[in-house]
Amino acid sequence: MADEEAHVIKCPFCDFDDHDSNILIQHIDLCHPEDRTAAEWVVTQHDTPSHHQESDTIIPDGYVHCPHGCGETVASAELPLHLDLHLAESLALDDSGNYDTGNPHRCTEDHVYNKSTVLNNDPSDLPSSEEGQVEGVPSRGKHIMKLIHKRKHTKSAGSSDRETKRLGRAELGPYAHEKQMPSWLRKLLQNGAKASHLNEISTSGTIMKKTTAENESLHVIPVLTKLCRHDKDVERAFFCSSSVRHVFKMRREGGFCGYRNIQMLVSHIKDAQRPGHDRFPGSGLPSILALQDMIEQAWDMGYNSTGRIETGGIKGTRKYIGTPEAQALFLSLGIQCDTGAFSAREGFRAHDLLLQDVANYFRSGCDLDSQEKILQTDLAPIYFQHRGHSMTIIGFEITKKGTANLLVFDPMFKTSPAIRRLVDHYSTPSDPGRILKAHRRGNSYLQKYKDFEVLKLYS
């Protein structure tokens, strides 16, 4: 009886379960027809021996493999949102400019935000929490001392290792205690994605040879700016420099989002020829395995060296990394950056403070007197972390309803076919908001988390 209970298969979308995978497949086809890929997942998870040989690991309680087949091990509570974003990622356009995949509904955000808080120079004029708004937060460049998990974000100076504790799955992910990743995964990362070569004109006017990989997308930000311009629901939008590649994980790769976000910041440093670009030789981006080596070397140099104790070492593992590791890497290379953390305080929610800080950051890079709907800056993108996941913030928008959204490159999801098509040939779609959904993170998403961290590169 105990063995029979151990083989109960649960539906990834509701409470239904059964011992027979065929019955569960029929249930998904009948009750969740929009998620037919889950039926394939059921077979893969329970009827294909090779799958278990490839994953070479036991999934911890509270996690499931993504039924979409992306290779991510997702917390059960996060699965519905994860699958919803997969649908946004798969959105495509047919020859007439209409949509041929994805759900017909739009995702709306309900965070009320006053656009004057973005453009007003006087912090005393910012609305109070009683109005459902947010107050000013420390300006860009000022270090915020309260950090998630109380992890140190400065070069070590006489700190005692006895004060540092090993982190667990909540911070390092489902493979927190793994000594080495499976051999098939290491080989996948060593080989990397298929590369392509092209010539582009640099900011100085010279021809620059550039190498990109299949999991990198160029020129996405210019498309997003046009979509926001044509979205009638958008009041105003701010964007970072367009010299940022959307880097996303390869299929079956799993949770290396922190490294992919570092790669996105590196792509900006290289493509925009920012200070420190010479520290990343070659035309491609450093691999995940190379970044692991660089972080370990940063620890050796004393930058956030307690990270080695907290993680137990990351080289050759699938342990999550976060803002301290990103900061250690950049500082060790002489690339100046600053970190900030946001938790609820004095009646203000953590994501209120986060949104205000991001708004202030983009405000610092544009003409406050401009009446333009879309404000493009030369600012670097922002490394953005919450528990269990990280993204790269590339913009900020306010809608006519007063809602606010972060605009992001999420390394967990590939650039949608719709975006790729618009990069090659832009024509105004009938509903720009649907395409933008995969890049928007607003109140309904952010309110699920209690703490946030950001890392900003100095100008």
Side-chain angles (χ1 to χ4, degrees):
M1 182 67 178
D3 183 66
E4 184 176 331
E5 291 179 354
H7 289 84
V8 169
I9 312 169
K10 295 183 178 181
C11 172
F13 307 105
C14 67
D15 295 330
F16 180 85
D17 58 47
D18 200 275
H19 302 285
D20 189 336
S21 62
N22 291 324
I23 293 178
L24 187 57
I25 291 173
Q26 294 174 17
H27 159 79
I28 293 174
D29 280 339
L30 179 64
C31 300
H32 312 285
E34 71 279 10
D35 299 304
R36 294 182 62 87
T37 52
E40 300 174 6
W41 171 77
V42 170
V43 175
T44 304
Q45 293 287 305
H46 301 280
D47 294 339
T48 308
S50 61
H51 174 85
H52 298 284
Q53 294 170 4
E54 183 180 80
S55 63
D56 193 28
T57 188
I58 299 175
I59 304 176
D61 291 340
Y63 292 86
V64 296
H65 280 313
C66 168
H68 196 274
C70 71
E72 186 78 14
T73 302
V74 186
S76 301
E78 301 290 337
L79 185 60
L81 175 61
H82 181 84
L83 292 173
D84 191 40
L85 290 172
H86 268 308
L87 289 175
E89 147 191 78
S90 65
L91 190 67
L93 296 172
D94 61 22
D95 291 337
S96 64
N98 295 319
Y99 306 103
D100 55 14
T101 61
N103 281 339
H105 65 275
R106 287 188 60 182
C107 177
T108 58
E109 305 292 357
D110 57 0
H111 178 84
V112 177
Y113 200 90
N114 190 329
K115 65 179 179 180
S116 66
T117 65
V118 182
L119 301 176
N120 197 319
N121 279 309
D122 186 359
S124 64
D125 290 338
L126 293 172
S128 67
S129 60
E130 293 180 357
E131 297 173 301
Q133 310 290 338
V134 297
E135 65 175 3
V137 296
S139 61
R140 177 180 175 222
K142 185 175 181 180
H143 185 67
I144 301 175
M145 298 304 296
K146 185 176 181 182
L147 301 172
I148 301 175
H149 315 311
K150 300 181 180 179
R151 302 184 67 183
K152 296 185 181 298
H153 285 243
T154 57
K155 189 170 182 178
S156 300
S159 60
S160 173
D161 290 346
R162 290 177 297 179
E163 300 174 358
T164 305
K165 296 182 180 180
R166 177 72 180 269
L167 301 176
R169 285 176 180 159
E171 299 84 15
L172 303 179
Y175 307 112
H177 307 293
E178 179 180 70
K179 293 183 179 180
Q180 288 291 315
M181 69 179 72
S183 58
W184 67 265
L185 180 54
R186 172 179 282 276
K187 184 176 180 180
L188 177 71
L189 297 179
Q190 286 174 335
N191 293 337
K194 183 179 179 181
S196 60
H197 308 276
L198 67 157
N199 294 328
E200 287 204 345
I201 300 177
S202 68
T203 54
S204 61
T206 59
I207 296 178
M208 180 174 55
K209 292 184 178 180
K210 185 177 297 183
T211 299
T212 59
E214 284 186 334
N215 65 326
E216 300 173 19
S217 296
L218 300 173
H219 312 305
V220 175
I221 290 180
V223 170
L224 297 181
T225 63
K226 293 176 183 176
L227 289 172
C228 283
R229 186 182 305 278
H230 294 139
D231 189 341
K232 297 179 180 179
D233 293 332
V234 175
E235 177 72 24
R236 176 160 279 192
F238 304 78
F239 284 89
C240 71
S241 166
S242 59
S243 298
V244 187
R245 309 179 202 179
H246 180 201
V247 183
F248 46 92
K249 62 184 191 154
M250 299 180 290
R251 185 176 180 274
R252 301 184 297 118
E253 173 185 307
F256 290 103
C257 292
Y259 299 98
R260 295 306 187 190
N261 287 299
I262 291 176
Q263 288 177 326
M264 284 192 253
L265 266 63
V266 171
S267 78
H268 169 69
I269 293 172
K270 288 172 65 68
D271 296 350
Q273 297 285 285
R274 287 178 60 102
H277 66 88
D278 56 323
R279 304 307 300 268
F280 304 99
S283 56
L285 301 177
S287 68
I288 288 174
L289 298 178
L291 291 175
Q292 289 185 337
D293 288 337
M294 295 168 75
I295 292 170
E296 294 268 358
Q297 290 169 8
W299 288 340
D300 291 339
M301 297 168 65
Y303 292 96
N304 296 349
S305 57
T306 53
R308 177 173 281 123
I309 301 172
E310 291 173 327
T311 63
I314 60 172
K315 188 172 181 177
T317 74
R318 289 179 284 184
K319 298 171 187 174
Y320 292 172
I321 62 167
T323 316
E325 286 69 49
Q327 186 194 38
L329 184 151
F330 287 120
L331 291 180
S332 71
L333 298 176
I335 299 171
Q336 296 303 307
C337 57
D338 194 19
T339 58
F342 308 91
S343 299
R345 63 177 176 85
E346 301 174 1
F348 298 101
R349 299 171 297 183
H351 66 276
D352 291 336
L353 300 176
L354 167 71
L355 288 168
Q356 183 63 73
D357 183 73
V358 173
N360 288 341
Y361 175 74
F362 283 104
R363 182 181 68 180
S364 72
C366 64
D367 178 8
L368 299 179
D369 295 326
S370 173
Q371 300 300 312
E372 293 292 327
K373 177 177 179 178
I374 307 301
L375 296 172
Q376 180 82 56
T377 74
D378 293 324
L379 295 170
I382 302 172
Y383 184 105
F384 169 49
Q385 177 83 44
H386 62 67
R387 173 163 289 198
H389 189 43
S390 59
M391 289 166 273
T392 297
I393 298 174
I394 50 94
F396 179 87
E397 69 176 5
I398 307 166
T399 72
K400 292 183 178 178
K401 293 182 178 180
T403 62
N405 297 313
L406 300 177
L407 296 169
V408 304
F409 282 163
D410 192 329
M412 192 180 295
F413 306 99
K414 64 181 182 292
T415 309
S416 71
I419 291 285
R420 288 182 179 274
R421 179 167 180 175
L422 293 174
V423 166
D424 295 331
H425 178 70
Y426 187 85
S427 59
T428 307
S430 58
D431 187 0
R434 280 195 68 199
I435 303 177
L436 286 163
K437 177 182 176 181
H439 296 275
R440 285 172 167 159
R441 300 293 182 274
N443 187 56
S444 64
Y445 179 91
L446 298 172
Q447 67 183 357
K448 299 177 182 179
Y449 303 97
K450 297 181 180 179
D451 303 282
F452 304 96
E453 286 184 337
V454 295
L455 179 146
K456 302 168 187 172
L457 300 176
Y458 286 150
S459 298

